[in-house]
């Protein structure tokens, strides 16, 4: 029999292994699927990227905090009660000369405490390999074309050390509150696949 039908109704091997593991652990009474759902939902909706956006907004507003974040991101972030699973954090600041991009080439290490759950593309092999080989091309696919003379620095996350990109503060945001500033900071801007949103009027994104 030919094998050219598609397998849309089947799980990919990784998802199938996860499903099998979950079934066994549930049957043995070792986990409660509803408890797992709560954890996932917490990271998706409560701990989402808003934590990171508040860190960035505070750094934009408070030079002392920005300096602390630069020197010891783990402590500066923990001071806002955002803590992860014990990994260290490093904040990498975008400048006029350098743009920062975060990847985990090995698997999918991601700063959960500030960004919540990683997007699907972050975990996908094409992003993980190409972010290192051709960061400029990857950014263009995200719709971000940087000036040719701007350096791109790629940071490879590990289980022990994870990165938060601090995008440049948009022009025209003088006098904005931290709350308003945080509204300009997307998850992608803190991974480095986007910039902070442009400022519109009355403290809103353009
Ligand atoms: Fe990883």
């Amino acid at each position: 029999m030919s094998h050219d039908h598609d397998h849309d109704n089947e799980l990919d091997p990784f998802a199938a292994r996860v499903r099998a593991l979950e079934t066994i652990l549930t049957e043995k009474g070792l986990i409660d699927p509803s408890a797992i759902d709560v954890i996932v939902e917490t990271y998706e909706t409560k701990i989402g990227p808003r934590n990171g956006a508040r860190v960035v907004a505070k750094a934009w507003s408070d030079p002392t905090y920005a300096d602390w974040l630069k020197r010891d991101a783990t402590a500066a972030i923990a001071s806002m009660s955002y803590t992860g699973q014990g990994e260290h954090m490093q904040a990498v600041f975008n400048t006029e000369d350098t743009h920062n991009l975060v990847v985990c080439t090995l698997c999918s290490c991601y700063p959960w405490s500030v960004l919540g759950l990683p997007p699907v593309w972050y975990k996908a092999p094409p992003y993980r390999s190409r972010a290192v080989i051709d960061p400029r091309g990857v950014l263009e696919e995200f719709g971000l074309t940087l000036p040719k003379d701007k350096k791109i620095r790629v940071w490879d996350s590990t289980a022990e050390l994870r990165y938060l990109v601090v995008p440049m503060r948009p022009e025209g945001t003088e006098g904005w509150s931290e709350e308003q500033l945080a509204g300009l900071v997307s998850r992608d801007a803190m991974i480095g696949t986007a910039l902070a949103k442009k400022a519109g009027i009355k403290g809103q994104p353009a």
Side-chain angles (χ1 to χ4, degrees):
M1 175 185 137
S2 79
H3 201 90
D4 58 5
H5 59 280
D6 67 46
H7 284 244
D8 275 347
N9 56 348
E10 290 179 17
L11 294 169
D12 69 62
F14 186 75
R17 278 162 65 190
V18 170
R19 177 76 57 87
L21 190 60
E22 187 181 348
T23 304
I24 291 165
L25 292 172
T26 304
E27 280 171 1
K28 288 188 179 291
L30 293 171
I31 59 165
D32 173 0
S34 61
I36 293 194
D37 289 345
V38 170
I39 293 168
V40 170
E41 206 217 287
T42 300
Y43 274 99
E44 258 172 4
T45 61
K46 299 208 178 75
I47 306 185
R50 301 330 302 157
N51 285 4
R54 288 190 199 102
V55 170
V56 170
K58 193 171 175 64
W60 283 346
S61 308
D62 177 352
T64 307
Y65 184 78
D67 187 55
W68 188 18
L69 189 63
K70 220 172 259 176
R71 283 184 290 107
D72 186 355
T74 310
I77 290 167
S79 77
M80 295 177 74
S81 307
Y82 307 150
T83 49
Q85 304 93 15
E87 72 278 6
H88 286 277
M89 289 289 310
Q90 184 175 339
V92 287
F93 287 65
N94 287 346
T95 65
E96 290 292 349
D97 303 321
T98 307
H99 180 86
N100 295 287
L101 178 66
V102 177
V103 66
C104 175
T105 55
L106 197 64
C107 42
S108 56
C109 298
Y110 189 74
W112 286 41
S113 57
V114 279
L115 296 189
L117 289 180
V120 170
W121 53 259
Y122 185 86
K123 298 181 276 186
Y127 176 76
R128 285 161 38 203
S129 54
R130 293 194 44 238
V132 177
I133 301 163
D134 179 22
R136 208 169 286 273
V138 167
L139 291 181
E140 276 179 13
E141 283 165 26
F142 276 93
L144 178 56
T145 304
L146 295 174
K148 285 211 160 46
D149 57 350
K150 185 168 273 215
K151 245 179 37 195
I152 302 174
R153 199 154 171 199
V154 180
W155 300 85
D156 194 355
S157 313
T158 67
E160 289 81 32
L161 181 58
R162 309 189 185 192
Y163 301 95
L164 175 72
V165 174
V166 179
M168 288 175 71
R169 178 171 176 163
E171 288 172 17
T173 56
E174 296 76 17
W176 285 34
S177 68
E178 285 183 28
E179 180 87 26
Q180 290 169 328
L181 289 169
L184 299 178
V185 185
S186 67
R187 175 198 68 197
D188 288 5
M190 294 180 280
I191 300 175
T193 53
L195 305 178
K197 292 172 199 147
K198 288 201 170 73
I201 46 164
K202 293 181 184 165
Q204 298 294 320

